C-alpha cells in the first residue's frame, strides 16, 4: 500500500510484511495506550485486539488521543477501533470492553497474539497480566507510570528488572519474583521522581466531574510525557516484530 511507502523505505519490504501480518493485543487505551496504538497503526500493523472497559470522560481530553468533545461518553475501545480503521481501512481490529484481570486472561489471549502491550494502571491486574504473558510465552511490553512526571529526557527503556528510580517497577519486581519471574519484560519507565503528590477527592477543585470525585486518587499528567511513553512502547513493539524470524 502506498501509504506505508516511507516505512518500507526504512525497514524494507519483508519487515513491512511482518508488520502487516502481526497481531498485537493492547490492554489499556488511555493516555499511553492510545499513542502506542496510533503509532503501530501508522507503521502498518495489520491486526489488533484493543481492550479497555472505560468510556471517554472530559478530563481525558488533556492527554488521550481518542478523547474529544465529539467522543465524550463513547467506549474507548470502539473509538480506538474507528481511528485505526480510518488510518488503515484494511486493518483487522477486534475490541473487548472488559476490565482485564485474572478471571478473563484466558479469554483475552485465546488467539495468542504475536505481542501484547500492557498500558494499564491497576497494580494487581498488571501483575497477573505480566505473569500470564511470561508463563504462556506471549511477548509483552509494559508501561510503568507516566503520571506525575515532566521531564522527557528522563524516559528510558529497559528490562523491568533493570529499571531504577521507579516505584511501580520496584513493586512489580517484588511480586513477579514471587511467581518465579526475574527477567524478560521490556518496559518504558522514567528516572524522574514524582513532581507532586496525588490529589484525593476531598481536595479536588470545585466543579470536578463526579467520576473523578469517585476515584481513590487523581494523578496529574501531561500529554507530552504520556505520549512519549506510548511511542516508546510502539517502537519497542516494532523492533520486536521485525526481529522475529
Amino acid at each position: 500500500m502506498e501509504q506505508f511507502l516511507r516505512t518500507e523505505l526504512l525497514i524494507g519490504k519483508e519487515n513491512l510484511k511482518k508488520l502487516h501480518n502481526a497481531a498485537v493485543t493492547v490492554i489499556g487505551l488511555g493516555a499511553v495506550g492510545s499513542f502506542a496504538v496510533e503509532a503501530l497503526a501508522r507503521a502498518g500493523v495489520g491486526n489488533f485486539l484493543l481492550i479497555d472497559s472505560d468510556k471517554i470522560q472530559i478530563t481525558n481530553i488533556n492527554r488521550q488521543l481518542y478523547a474529544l468533545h465529539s467522543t465524550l461518553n463513547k467506549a474507548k475501545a470502539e473509538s480506538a477501533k474507528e481511528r485505526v480503521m480510518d488510518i488503515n481501512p484494511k486493518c483487522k481490529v477486534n475490541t473487548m470492553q472488559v476490565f482485564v484481570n485474572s478471571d478473563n486472561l484466558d479469554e483475552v489471549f485465546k488467539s495468542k497474539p504475536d505481542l501484547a502491550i500492557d498500558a494499564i494502571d491497576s497494580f494487581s491486574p498488571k501483575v497477573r497480566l505480566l505473569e500470564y504473558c511470561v508463563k504462556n510465552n506471549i511477548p509483552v511490553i509494559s508501561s510503568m507510570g507516566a503520571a506525575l512526571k515532566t521531564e522527557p529526557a528522563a524516559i528510558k527503556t529497559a528490562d523491568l528488572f533493570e529499571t531504577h528510580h521507579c516505584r511501580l517497577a520496584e513493586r512489580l519486581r517484588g511480586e513477579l519474583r514471587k511467581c518465579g519471574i526475574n527477567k524478560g519484560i521490556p518496559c518504558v519507565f522514567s528516572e524522574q521522581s514524582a513532581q507532586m503528590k496525588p490529589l484525593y477527592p476531598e481536595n479536588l477543585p470545585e466543579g470536578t466531574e463526579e467520576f473523578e470525585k469517585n476515584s481513590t486518587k487523581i494523578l496529574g499528567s501531561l500529554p507530552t510525557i504520556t505520549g512519549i511513553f506510548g511511542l516508546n512502547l510502539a517502537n519497542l513493539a516494532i523492533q520486536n516484530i521485525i526481529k522475529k524470524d
Side-chain angles (χ1 to χ4, degrees), residues 122-239:
S122 301
F123 182 74
S124 292
K126 198 175 191 76
V127 173
R128 301 283 77 84
L129 168 62
L130 296 175
E131 177 191 10
Y132 185 96
C133 287
V134 172
K135 292 187 174 179
N136 288 277
N137 298 312
I138 299 169
V140 61
I141 299 169
S142 183
S143 175
M144 299 300 104
L148 308 180
K149 309 295 171 60
T150 59
E151 180 49 65
I155 301 169
K156 308 292 181 182
T157 61
D159 190 286
L160 174 62
F161 291 87
E162 297 175 357
T163 59
H164 49 88
H165 294 88
C166 178
R167 174 59 178 154
L168 175 58
E170 181 182 352
R171 292 178 63 205
L172 286 170
R173 286 196 296 271
E175 291 300 313
L176 290 168
R177 285 187 177 118
K178 295 176 186 177
C179 308
I181 299 168
N182 54 27
K183 64 178 180 179
I185 303 175
C187 76
V188 182
F189 73 103
S190 174
E191 298 175 322
Q192 185 184 24
S193 300
Q195 297 301 289
M196 60 172 288
K197 293 182 178 179
L199 284 177
Y200 293 88
E202 61 271 19
N203 297 321
L204 290 175
E206 187 176 347
T208 302
E209 266 198 272
E210 195 60 37
F211 92 100
E212 293 282 22
K213 291 180 178 178
N214 292 333
S215 303
T216 55
K217 59 184 179 180
I218 313 299
L219 306 179
S221 59
L222 291 172
T224 47
I225 302 302
T226 53
I228 294 170
F229 265 72
L231 295 174
N232 269 291
L233 285 177
N235 197 63
L236 287 173
I238 291 167
Q239 296 305 315

Side-chain angles (χ1 to χ4, degrees), residues 2-59:
E2 186 178 4
Q3 75 178 74
F4 299 112
L5 174 63
R6 299 296 183 100
T7 305
E8 182 180 331
L9 287 172
L10 182 62
I11 68 174
K13 188 181 294 292
E14 289 304 311
N15 284 332
L16 180 61
K17 185 177 180 180
K18 289 180 182 180
L19 293 177
H20 286 335
N21 292 334
V24 177
T25 294
V26 182
I27 305 99
L29 301 171
V32 172
S34 65
F35 276 88
V37 172
E38 180 87 3
L40 291 174
R42 292 183 183 276
V45 168
N47 305 272
F48 286 100
L49 174 58
L50 305 177
I51 304 174
D52 200 298
S53 62
D54 287 344
K55 293 184 178 181
I56 296 166
Q57 305 289 345
I58 197 164
T59 53

Side-chain angles (χ1 to χ4, degrees), residues 44-132:
V45 168
N47 305 272
F48 286 100
L49 174 58
L50 305 177
I51 304 174
D52 200 298
S53 62
D54 287 344
K55 293 184 178 181
I56 296 166
Q57 305 289 345
I58 197 164
T59 53
N60 300 150
I61 290 176
N62 86 308
R63 67 200 183 281
Q64 298 182 13
L65 279 177
Y66 314 126
L68 307 165
H69 284 276
S70 60
T71 61
L72 290 177
N73 297 315
K74 288 185 66 173
K76 289 181 182 179
E78 288 307 310
S79 292
K81 178 178 179 177
E82 290 174 7
R83 187 171 176 98
V84 171
M85 296 301 295
D86 206 13
I87 293 169
N88 178 11
K90 293 186 177 181
C91 192
K92 296 178 182 178
V93 185
N94 293 309
T95 64
M96 293 179 68
Q97 295 178 39
V98 298
F99 182 82
V100 171
N101 55 44
S102 56
D103 295 330
N104 55 23
L105 285 169
D106 284 334
E107 178 68 16
V108 165
F109 289 109
K110 67 179 180 180
S111 60
K112 197 162 184 181
D114 297 296
L115 182 78
I117 290 181
D118 156 40
I120 61 176
D121 299 322
S122 301
F123 182 74
S124 292
K126 198 175 191 76
V127 173
R128 301 283 77 84
L129 168 62
L130 296 175
E131 177 191 10
Y132 185 96

